[in-house]
Amino acid sequence: MTIAPQSYLPWRQPAGGRADRPCMRDDRIELTYAEFATRVEAVAEQFAEHGVGTGSVVAIMLPNRVELLVSLAAAWRLGAAATPVNPVFTATEATYQIEDADATLVVAATDALAGVRPVLLVDHLRASPHTSTAPHRTRDDDLALLIYTSGSTGRPKGVMLDHGNIAAMAGSMVEALHLDDSAHCLLVLPLFHVNAICVSYLATMIAGGQLSVLARFHPVEFLEAIARLRPTYFSAVPTIYAHLLALPDGVEADTSSVRYAICGAAPASVQVLRGIEERYGFPLLEGYGLTEGTCASTANPLAGPRKPGTVGTALPGQIVAIMGKDGALLPAGERGEVVVRGPNVMRGYLNRPEATAETLMDGWLHTGDVGILDEDGYLRLVDRIKDMIIRGGENIYPKEIENVLHGHPAVLEAAVVGAPDEVYGEVPVAVVALHPERQADVEELLGMCREHLTKVKVPTAIRIVGSIPKNPVGKIDKPTLRADIAGHARAHHGA
C-alpha cells in the first residue's frame, strides 16, 4: 500500500468525516481528530516562536502521553524533524543525544536541561493557536525522525528516517494487519522507539482508528485497561508477554475485544507464543525488524499460516533475503545474513558516513542477524552475528540453547552469552529467570541441555536470577550480561 504523508498528518487529513471521531486519549485527556489537529497547530506556533523551522530538530523528552504525539506532529507541521529522548535518561545521556542531533528546542516535563538547549515545558503547551498559519508542504524526503540506537556497542547513533520511510512502514502495517476505522490500538511501548510511533500511532492514524496511550506497563493494570478500553490490538515485546503469563492463575481478564497482538523487538519463545493464545484467547503475530528498517520487515501473517519458531514472511513492499559472505543471495534452507530492501530502509546514520556505508551496502540493509528462509518465505532467526560464541573453533548460536531452556515449564526467560575461557577462548553460560510460581534447579536445567544439545553447546554454567537486565526498549541487555559474567570469571580466576 502506497501511503503519502497526508494520511497521518492531521492538518492534511482526507475528507471522510473524521473530524468528530475519537482520535487519541491517555489517562488525562481525550481528543477527536479535529481537536488533535488544533493542538498540533497551536504547539507548532509555539515551536516557531522558539526558532524551529524547516530543517530544525525538536528533542522530545516525555513519558508516554498525548502531548508527546502532539509535539511530534507539530515539528512535522513546520518541516522539522523530531528526536524522542528516553525520559529516564541521565543528564549525560540526554545531553549527548540532544547535542548530537543539534536540537533547536527540547520539550520536557522539567527545565533540568535548560543549560543544554532552550526548554519548553509540557505543561505550558498551548491548546489553541493565537493565529492561523499555513503548514509546511511535507515531502517524502523531508527528515521526520532521528531515532537513537540503544548503543550496545559504542555511542548511540541517530537513525535518520524521512517521511517516505515512515509512511511506507505505517502503510505496510495497515495492509498487513487489515486495519480500518474500527481499529483501536492500546499503545504500551515507549514512544522514544519507532515501533510505538509507526505500528501503534501512525498506522492507526492512517486507518482512521483510535489510540489509547498507557503511561507505563504493569501486568494487572494492563489487563484492566484492556477490559475498560476495549482495544482491538496492541504491539508489545516478549518481556511484556512473559509477565502476563507469569500472573497467578486466579487473575482474570476480559480480553475478548482483542483481535490479535503483535510481538517484536526481540525473539519470543514458542512457549510464550502458545501460552498467550491459550490463556488470553487471541493470536500473537511475531515479527522482526530493525530501527534502521523503520521498525518491521517480516511478520507472521494475520490471514495466512503462522509458523511458530519463525518471524513470518516479508511485509508488503519489502524484500527480505539471505546473503552469503561473498555477497551472493542464498537459496531457501541456507544459513546467512538477513538483508532487507524497500522504501522503509533508513536514509543513514546522522553524521556517520562510514557506519552508514557498512550497513547499507549494494542496495541492501545488512541486519547483522543470521537467518534461514524456508521454501514458503518464512524467516527463522538463528542469532545475531555478533552474539555468536566461538568455542575452540566451533560456532555456537546462543538462540539454539535458549530455545532448549525455554522448553522447561519453569523457565520464564533465558539468555546465553559467551564467557572468557583460557582453553577454548569462550564458552556458553546461561542466565535464567524462573516463573514465580514454579521451580527448577541448575542440575535439572543442565540435564535438559545435555539431552537436546551436543556437548560443545551445553552451558558450562547456569545462573538462576530474579530478573534478566533489559535495555530501554525491552530487549535483553546482553552486553551487560557479558560484562557481568566476564567480571565473575576474572574474580574466580584471581581467587
Side-chain angles (χ1 to χ4, degrees):
M1 176 182 288
T2 302
I3 294 294
Q6 64 263 26
S7 298
Y8 57 79
L9 299 177
W11 56 93
R12 292 174 63 185
Q13 287 289 353
R18 289 189 189 180
D20 296 327
R21 287 177 57 87
C23 179
M24 64 179 65
R25 66 182 61 80
D26 58 22
D27 59 1
R28 302 161 302 103
I29 189 172
E30 181 166 349
L31 301 175
T32 65
Y33 274 86
E35 290 167 340
F36 178 62
T38 297
R39 295 241 179 174
V40 169
E41 184 177 0
V43 173
E45 182 180 76
Q46 281 183 285
F47 286 0
E49 292 168 3
H50 284 80
V52 176
T54 303
S56 300
V57 175
V58 177
I60 306 170
M61 191 172 178
L62 295 173
N64 280 14
R65 55 190 293 178
V66 161
E67 289 86 353
L68 194 160
L69 300 174
V70 169
S71 296
L72 278 177
W76 296 338
R77 195 179 197 279
L78 295 170
T83 186
V85 183
N86 186 342
V88 301
F89 266 0
T90 64
T92 300
E93 292 168 319
T95 297
Y96 167 77
Q97 180 174 335
I98 291 165
E99 291 184 339
D100 189 72
D102 194 21
T104 300
L105 178 68
V106 180
V107 181
T110 73
D111 61 0
L113 295 168
V116 180
R117 289 291 193 278
V119 173
L120 179 58
L121 296 177
V122 65
D123 290 340
H124 295 170
L125 294 179
R126 291 175 192 157
S128 57
H130 292 169
T131 60
S132 180
T133 56
H136 170 78
R137 186 173 179 82
T138 306
R139 296 159 38 109
D140 280 356
D141 60 357
D142 285 342
L143 186 64
L145 292 169
L146 280 172
I147 303 291
Y148 277 72
T149 59
S150 56
S152 58
T153 57
R155 310 236 34 196
K157 300 186 292 290
V159 175
M160 296 187 292
L161 302 175
D162 58 33
H163 281 282
N165 295 145
I166 63 176
M169 183 72 262
S172 182
M173 295 310 302
V174 170
E175 185 173 348
L177 299 176
H178 303 176
L179 298 179
D180 57 24
D181 60 9
S182 69
H184 180 181
C185 181
L186 185 61
L187 191 157
V188 63
L189 293 178
L191 275 162
F192 57 83
H193 189 253
V194 75
N195 187 316
I197 294 173
C198 285
V199 178
S200 298
Y201 168 42
L202 296 182
T204 304
M205 295 296 97
I206 290 170
Q210 56 182 306
L211 185 70
S212 292
V213 180
L214 297 184
R216 64 184 185 279
F217 172 77
H218 180 279
V220 174
E221 291 175 359
F222 182 72
L223 292 177
E224 290 173 346
I226 290 176
R228 182 177 72 256
L229 297 169
R230 310 294 292 165
T232 59
Y233 83 103
F234 61 89
S235 179
V237 295
T239 300
I240 284 178
Y241 295 112
H243 282 304
L244 292 175
L245 282 178
L247 289 171
D249 293 338
V251 175
E252 297 182 359
D254 178 4
T255 57
S256 58
S257 68
V258 180
R259 300 169 185 169
Y260 52 82
I262 303 161
C263 183
S269 69
V270 173
Q271 289 73 22
V272 165
L273 296 172
R274 288 176 176 163
I276 286 291
E277 186 157 0
E278 291 170 1
R279 178 165 181 177
Y280 295 104
F282 53 80
L284 199 52
L285 310 179
E286 188 177 14
Y288 159 78
L290 282 71
T291 300
E292 289 86 344
T294 321
C295 179
S297 290
T298 71
N300 269 280
L302 179 61
R306 297 191 302 277
K307 293 189 180 183
T310 78
V311 289
T313 58
L315 285 167
Q318 300 187 49
I319 300 172
V320 177
I322 304 297
M323 185 175 286
K325 292 181 180 179
D326 61 356
L329 298 184
L330 300 176
E334 293 289 325
R335 175 182 297 185
E337 184 180 14
V338 181
V339 291
V340 176
R341 177 179 285 170
N344 56 297
V345 172
M346 69 171 180
R347 181 187 301 183
Y349 296 114
L350 180 67
N351 299 326
R352 287 164 174 78
E354 292 182 3
T356 298
E358 289 174 4
T359 304
L360 302 179
M361 289 188 292
D362 303 321
W364 293 96
L365 167 62
H366 288 252
T367 67
D369 289 311
V370 180
I372 300 170
L373 284 172
D374 70 14
E375 294 288 348
D376 299 319
Y378 285 73
L379 176 64
R380 181 168 67 86
L381 295 176
V382 178
D383 223 318
R384 290 286 295 169
I385 291 174
K386 67 182 181 181
D387 286 345
M388 184 175 69
I389 299 166
I390 303 177
R391 175 177 178 164
E394 293 280 348
N395 292 347
I396 298 172
Y397 292 96
K399 190 171 185 291
E400 185 178 2
I401 306 170
E402 292 163 0
N403 287 343
V404 171
L405 290 166
H406 278 129
H408 193 289
V411 172
L412 187 63
E413 293 183 301
V416 174
V417 297
D421 184 87
E422 291 184 354
V423 177
Y424 296 105
E426 57 181 347
V427 293
V429 172
V431 180
V432 169
L434 299 179
H435 189 292
E437 296 185 343
R438 297 173 187 166
Q439 298 295 321
D441 59 34
V442 169
E443 282 306 313
E444 185 179 354
L445 296 174
L446 282 172
M448 191 172 175
C449 289
R450 294 185 187 107
E451 179 183 353
H452 296 286
L453 299 167
T454 58
K455 186 176 180 180
V456 296
K457 299 177 183 177
V458 174
T460 59
I462 295 179
R463 294 169 55 192
I464 296 177
V465 298
S467 62
I468 297 177
K470 311 291 191 309
N471 68 16
V473 297
K475 295 182 183 180
I476 289 176
D477 190 350
K478 287 199 170 181
T480 294
L481 283 178
R482 287 192 197 95
D484 184 37
I485 287 171
H488 276 275
R490 286 192 297 270
H492 180 72
H493 180 71

